[in-house]
Structures are given as structure tokens and as C-alpha cells.
Amino acid sequence: MTAMPKRSINHSYQDPVDLIWLRAAADLGLTVQRSRDAYAAYDGQGHLTISVPDEFDPDDSLAQMIFHELCHWLVSGPGARDLPDWGLSNTSRRDLVYEYACHRLQAALAAPYGLREFMAVTTVWRSYWNALPENPLQDGEDPAIAIAQAGFRLARTSPFQEILSRSLAATAAIADAVRGVVPESSLWSTTRARHRLGSLLSTSDSQTCGTCAWAITSRSGLRCRQHKMPGNSAPAVQGTERACERWEPQFTADDCGSCGACCRQGFDFVQLSSRDPFVSLHPELVQLKDGRQIVPRPDGLCVALNGDGSADSPFRCRHYETRPKNCRDFEVAGDACLQARRRVGLTR
Ligand code: SF4
Ligand code: SF4
């Protein structure tokens, strides 16, 4: 009997998501070494030190730690690459606002890929992270917001844009591959799948396309207004299929009082035809602009608009019964309604 040739060991297994983020760091000119000497540290000369796995929280990963450090760099500005720990003090609360800005940026960058929970910060920082709103970059009183917004703008520049989007997309692709086989206790189970039209799935399984404001009933069945691409017809959806994250409850003209998007910053003005009765009924509200007759919107508000959108003072056209034809033709929950609501930030 001939002896079996011994199979030599030439390779070692590595976590694929760690590899993705090690490559991201390398492409940004950073090396990563593992050491018990620090949980995470940066020497200001291109070398990150990140702790070893047995020091991590169970829901931590090298990938998240690298991503977190890159977010620190982004919120501290391009020059922070040459500063130890991105120029932040680790021994006082002086730079706490930068830590919080880093969290906001991290959440904002990971969320579109369904990775906000998967790439969440850990250790002692969980309470701030857990309290973040759905849009962590939305204007507000927290001074960390403006810093995070600046970091987000930097993340949209080269080479950050390409490297971060590539790494997040690759991480999300692995999440898609394993989501169906992981136990509930796995961090992978927190990743979010996509609706077949591209948006992330809604977190509520009781929301369906059939109950969504943006589902249009056409002769050929139900179609989605939100995912309509320019020049194409709206794509088909099934009434019973699980909604995407763009789901909104159906609304009617009764709901316009709290919205008013089409009467304020959703559009710049209302154009009038010369035959529109509004011209002769309300000449004091009509202006000439580039040879066209319009109803203007100084400070973004139609000159015929009353109210502030509150329950006590809903938005309402002062001349609703005699409103211009363009306003009469406006379809609640139609394409232009969606456009207006997006422009004022009421709808994604
Ligand atoms: S926007 Fe509404 S109709 Fe369109 S896919 Fe999402 S839930 Fe379905
Ligand atoms: S944008 Fe749509 S929901 Fe808002 S007020 Fe206009 S018609 Fe109503």
C-alpha cells in the first residue's frame, strides 16, 4: 500500500468581512495591527492598532472597528490623518462631540446598505447610538450633527466615496448570502434585505405594497410610483408583498393640511394661463415672471396660503374654491405630490 502524500498547510481561514475592511484601510493608506495594548488607537502616521478578538464585545468585529476609525478620520477632517488618535483627546470629555459625530456618520453611511445594526458602535457608547433618530444627520440642536454632516460631505469625495461604498456593498452582499441560514442570535440576522425593487425592506412585516400611498392601481394591476425610473413605466408590485422602507400610509386631501408641500417649498410658483379665471379674480396675487403670469412664493410660501401645518392652523389655500387650474389638476398622492413631498423632506 502506497503512503498518502501529506497535504501541506498553505493557507489560513480569514473572516471575509474583516478582509474587506482591511483592504479598505490599506487603500486609504492605513495599516492595521492587532494588540492588547489598546482597544483602538491611531498613531498619526498611518498605523491603526485594534485589540484582539477576545477583548471584543460579542457583537463587535474588526470590520466595524476599522469602519469606526475611518468615520473618526472623516469627522475630524482630512488633516486628522497626521494626528495621533485623529487629534482627539482620550483622557478628557473635551472631544466627546467628535465621538458622537462619528456615531452619527457611521449610522448614516451604513443604513442605506441595511447594515446600521450590523455596523453599530459597541462598548460604552451604546446608549447614544441607540437614541439616534432615523436620520442621524438631520438638522437639530446636538452640536455633533454639523460635524457629522461635514464628515458626510468628506465621505462623498474621492477616494473615500469609492472605497466606502465598495466596502459597504461587499459587506451587504455577504449579508444577503448568509441571512437565510444564520440563527436569530447572530449579528448577521440584524442586516436588512432588499425589496426586489431595490429599496430596503420595511422593518414591519404588517406593511404591504397594497397598503402603500405610492402604489397606483392601473389597468395592468398595482404599480409602484416610488420606483418609477424616468422614461419607464412604474414597475409592478403585488398587493400582498412586504413593503419597502419607502412605504407610507395612504392619504387623501384631508391629510394635506399637515403637509402643504405643493403650496410651499415643493415648487417655486404656480404658473397661470392667461385664460385662468384666477388672473381676473385675484390680480393682486399675480406677478409677471419671464413673460409668464405666476402666483409667487416669497420665502417659499404661496401668497394665497394660510396656516402653518399645525393641528390648530392647517395649511389651506385662502382661495381654494377659485384656485388656479394647475392647483385644481394636482393629484393627491400623484407623481407631482411625491416630488413635492420629497423636496420638503416629508417623503424619501
Ligand atoms: S414604495 Fe410602496 S408600493 Fe413601492 S415598493 Fe415600497 S411599499 Fe411597495
Ligand atoms: S404635496 Fe400632496 S399631500 Fe402634500 S398638500 Fe400637496 S397634494 Fe396634499
Side-chain angles (χ1 to χ4, degrees):
M1 199 169 128
T2 48
M4 294 288 283
K6 201 169 173 191
R7 188 168 159 259
S8 54
I9 301 172
N10 298 319
H11 301 95
S12 59
Y13 177 80
Q14 287 170 287
D15 182 287
V17 185
D18 288 354
L19 290 175
I20 289 168
W21 288 91
L22 284 166
R23 177 61 187 268
D27 287 352
L28 287 165
L30 305 178
T31 64
V32 179
Q33 64 168 7
R34 313 296 299 268
S35 167
R36 289 184 193 281
D37 293 346
Y39 204 75
Y42 178 60
D43 70 355
Q45 297 175 43
H47 307 299
L48 274 173
T49 301
I50 294 185
S51 193
V52 293
D54 62 17
E55 297 274 344
F56 279 4
D57 286 354
D59 57 352
D60 227 333
S61 67
L62 177 62
Q64 187 280 127
M65 298 286 283
I66 294 173
F67 181 43
H68 181 72
E69 292 303 311
L70 297 182
C71 289
H72 264 304
W73 180 0
L74 288 162
V75 296
S76 296
R81 190 196 178 284
D82 301 328
L83 301 172
D85 291 323
W86 317 109
L88 305 180
S89 164
N90 282 332
T91 53
S92 73
R93 294 175 69 81
R94 184 194 75 192
D95 294 324
L96 200 54
V97 67
Y98 283 90
E99 183 66 42
Y100 291 158
C102 173
H103 295 201
R104 286 182 178 272
L105 177 62
Q106 193 166 333
L109 291 174
Y113 295 86
L115 299 172
R116 181 160 162 166
E117 296 308 312
F118 185 79
M119 287 298 212
V121 297
T122 54
T123 62
V124 296
W125 302 109
R126 292 170 193 271
S127 53
Y128 183 83
W129 176 278
N130 291 346
L132 288 176
E134 186 183 350
N135 178 1
L137 301 182
Q138 190 165 356
D139 289 339
E141 290 179 2
D142 184 344
I145 295 172
I147 300 171
Q149 290 171 338
F152 190 78
R153 287 192 291 277
L154 182 57
R156 288 282 167 264
T157 64
S158 185
F160 294 109
Q161 161 98 46
E162 303 87 302
I163 293 169
L164 288 174
S165 55
R166 177 194 78 200
S167 306
L168 287 163
T171 306
I174 294 176
D176 287 343
V178 303
R179 192 177 301 108
V181 298
V182 297
E184 186 78 4
S185 58
S186 168
L187 187 63
W188 288 106
S189 73
T190 66
T191 63
R192 287 174 63 188
R194 287 191 183 275
H195 188 279
R196 63 193 171 78
L197 294 185
S199 298
L200 294 175
L201 278 178
S202 163
T203 51
S204 164
D205 55 14
S206 66
Q207 293 171 352
T208 61
C209 289
T211 60
C212 175
W214 309 115
I216 327 157
T217 305
S218 72
R219 273 203 304 251
S220 56
L222 210 59
R223 293 184 170 271
C224 172
R225 208 185 286 283
Q226 269 278 15
H227 291 91
K228 180 178 181 308
M229 301 300 282
N232 291 335
S233 48
V237 286
Q238 301 297 319
T240 52
E241 71 182 298
R242 182 156 167 182
C244 79
E245 64 177 349
R246 294 183 175 188
W247 180 94
E248 284 185 71
Q250 291 162 338
F251 52 86
T252 67
D254 291 342
D255 300 299
C256 294
S258 60
C259 170
C262 54
C263 307
R264 48 190 181 103
Q265 291 86 350
F267 299 107
D268 295 336
F269 51 79
V270 176
Q271 189 165 344
L272 302 162
S273 81
S274 54
R275 292 192 304 277
D276 196 313
F278 192 87
V279 175
S280 53
L281 287 169
H282 308 289
E284 74 286 2
L285 301 180
V286 178
Q287 273 184 9
L288 261 185
K289 180 181 169 63
D290 303 328
R292 296 173 296 179
Q293 296 188 101
I294 64 154
V295 186
R297 299 187 175 186
D299 302 322
L301 299 177
C302 177
V303 288
L305 186 64
N306 279 349
D308 59 14
S310 64
D312 292 339
S313 178
F315 290 120
R316 179 78 181 163
C317 177
R318 205 158 49 247
H319 302 295
Y320 189 77
E321 298 309 321
T322 55
R323 64 196 186 283
K325 180 170 185 311
N326 273 342
C327 302
R328 272 177 202 285
D329 292 345
F330 202 85
E331 183 191 357
V332 177
D335 283 342
C337 170
L338 171 58
Q339 188 181 9
R341 288 175 61 92
R342 279 181 179 160
R343 285 179 178 168
V344 302
L346 282 173
T347 287
R348 300 189 208 197

